[in-house]
Amino acid sequence: MKFIDLNSMSDEERLFTIKDNFKGKYIEASKKHPEILSLIKLNKNSRANPLNEIALEGVWGLNLILKYNKKINYLVVCPDYIMTAEAQSLINSSYDKGAKLFFVSKKTYDFLSEEKNPQGIITVFFMNEGRFECIDQSKPLVVLDGLEIHGNIGTILRTLDALAIYDVVFINRKVRINHPKLVRSSLGSFLNMNIIDTNFDELYSYLMDNGYTIYLTDTDAKAIYMDTEYKDKACFVIGSEKYGISLPWYEKRYEMIKIPMRGDCDSLNVSIATSIILYDYMMRYKR
């Protein structure tokens, strides 16, 4: 089906056109519909999530979900906000891939939306679990140990994506990986990541079995990151800004690196520090 932009139409004409284009494909849903209630609980993190569902709002998000071939459960669509041929085409592609379509009123959508300028689409899809066997050992492995702020984690994931580093491991996890704040702050970068959620012992065994050198980012280190001659397989451990890196790392084999601080502050924001160290590593060793 060929879709057209609807900006020039009146609200009534646009609503009729969208519903006609998707006639027989969607279900009208209120705030009390089971799937809508499920979405509300998913966003509030107030229900179990054994299938690892994630809700992502916007046309840009659906574009990425389709690009990376994620399995979509359903779309919540507000016809009042659908303006472009692109949005309609993405909705149709999702339906063709087996997604259910729920059309809701503007009032219901506004209740669900967290955007200032809604685009009328919320996608609920399934995120694959990361696996050790999928790790690209030609690139550094990044470990996030006990990080607590969604925005910082999302920004780190954006940095990794910019450097084409797609493997990241969480230990002592303090956040919900599929939290909307993390999703938005990563600008969808997490969709292309092999994200592994595990414990220290399992991770350390993998690192030793595969010949990694562990680099702890620690303000007490003597070695400066830019002067460090890294070994072939590098694992960078990033600790929380509040508590630092967890103690078990210091009982094993490791090297420590730091970013020199010339002023009164003794540390940088964790996402900025991670960007500095990883960009230096990639430019020196992998460019």
Side-chain angles (χ1 to χ4, degrees):
M1 179 183 294
K2 184 175 176 60
F3 298 99
I4 61 171
D5 286 344
L6 309 174
N7 294 286
S8 60
M9 294 184 180
S10 67
D11 292 346
E12 187 176 311
E13 289 174 323
R14 188 174 67 254
L15 202 60
F16 174 82
T17 300
I18 293 171
K19 290 190 174 183
D20 188 58
N21 286 343
F22 292 96
K23 187 176 181 179
K25 297 181 178 181
Y26 68 89
I27 297 170
E28 296 271 9
S30 70
K31 198 191 299 184
K32 294 183 179 181
H33 189 281
E35 297 287 24
I36 305 303
L37 290 173
S38 179
L39 172 58
I40 293 170
K41 292 178 181 178
L42 178 64
N43 283 334
K44 291 182 177 180
N45 197 29
S46 60
R47 70 165 172 84
N49 190 12
L51 298 177
N52 204 13
E53 285 182 303
I54 299 179
L56 187 55
E57 185 172 358
V59 170
W60 69 273
L62 181 52
N63 241 320
L64 290 173
I65 291 165
L66 291 170
K67 175 183 177 181
Y68 295 121
N69 201 32
K70 301 300 180 183
K71 185 179 179 182
I72 301 174
N73 188 357
Y74 60 90
L75 266 60
V76 175
V77 177
C78 179
D80 299 82
Y81 287 125
I82 303 300
M83 299 289 182
T84 65
E86 179 191 19
Q88 296 171 81
S89 179
L90 291 171
I91 294 168
N92 195 60
S93 295
S94 302
Y95 177 82
D96 289 343
K97 288 179 175 290
K100 295 170 287 187
L101 305 181
F102 295 101
F103 278 23
V104 298
S105 67
K106 186 174 182 295
K107 182 178 180 181
T108 296
Y109 191 89
D110 287 344
F111 176 81
L112 299 170
S113 175
E114 297 188 12
E115 298 291 336
K116 291 182 179 179
N117 299 299
Q119 295 180 313
I121 302 173
I122 299 173
T123 307
V124 178
F125 66 103
F126 304 105
M127 192 67 185
N128 299 334
E129 287 190 12
R131 297 183 295 167
F132 281 106
E133 55 264 37
C134 293
I135 291 174
D136 181 355
Q137 296 187 7
S138 70
K139 296 179 181 178
L141 182 61
V142 178
V143 176
L144 304 183
D145 181 356
L147 269 64
E148 300 173 293
I149 301 175
H150 295 98
N152 284 339
I153 296 170
T155 302
I156 289 172
L157 296 183
R158 286 169 62 185
T159 296
L160 297 184
D161 181 72
L163 292 168
I165 299 171
Y166 299 116
D167 301 299
V168 60
V169 181
F170 284 78
I171 64 168
N172 301 315
R173 181 169 56 81
K174 300 293 192 298
V175 302
R176 189 180 120 208
I177 295 174
N178 61 357
H179 194 284
K181 289 182 179 178
L182 191 155
V183 172
R184 287 197 301 273
S185 60
S186 78
L187 293 184
S189 297
F190 76 103
L191 287 167
N192 199 27
M193 295 282 174
N194 179 37
I195 298 176
I196 300 169
D197 184 20
T198 187
N199 57 61
F200 175 82
D201 290 336
E202 184 177 16
L203 171 59
Y204 188 78
S205 293
Y206 171 83
L207 295 175
M208 293 301 98
D209 289 345
N210 290 277
Y212 280 87
T213 300
I214 297 168
Y215 296 94
L216 307 183
T217 56
D218 192 319
T219 55
D220 291 331
K222 294 182 179 179
I224 296 174
Y225 77 97
M226 65 186 76
D227 297 331
T228 301
E229 293 294 326
Y230 294 109
K231 305 298 193 302
D232 185 46
K233 286 185 180 179
C235 170
F236 292 95
V237 181
I238 314 298
S240 79
E241 291 178 297
K242 189 174 182 180
Y243 299 108
I245 293 168
S246 58
L247 291 178
W249 291 107
Y250 296 94
E251 299 169 355
K252 304 293 185 179
R253 294 186 319 204
Y254 65 88
E255 295 187 26
M256 288 202 308
I257 57 174
K258 70 177 180 180
I259 298 172
M261 305 297 294
R262 305 302 186 195
D264 293 329
C265 294
D266 63 357
S267 65
L268 295 170
N269 171 278
V270 67
S271 60
I272 294 174
T274 303
S275 298
I276 290 171
I277 289 171
L278 290 177
Y279 261 95
D280 172 71
Y281 177 89
M282 293 299 283
M283 293 304 103
R284 286 202 282 143
Y285 293 87
K286 304 294 183 181
R287 59 186 309 168

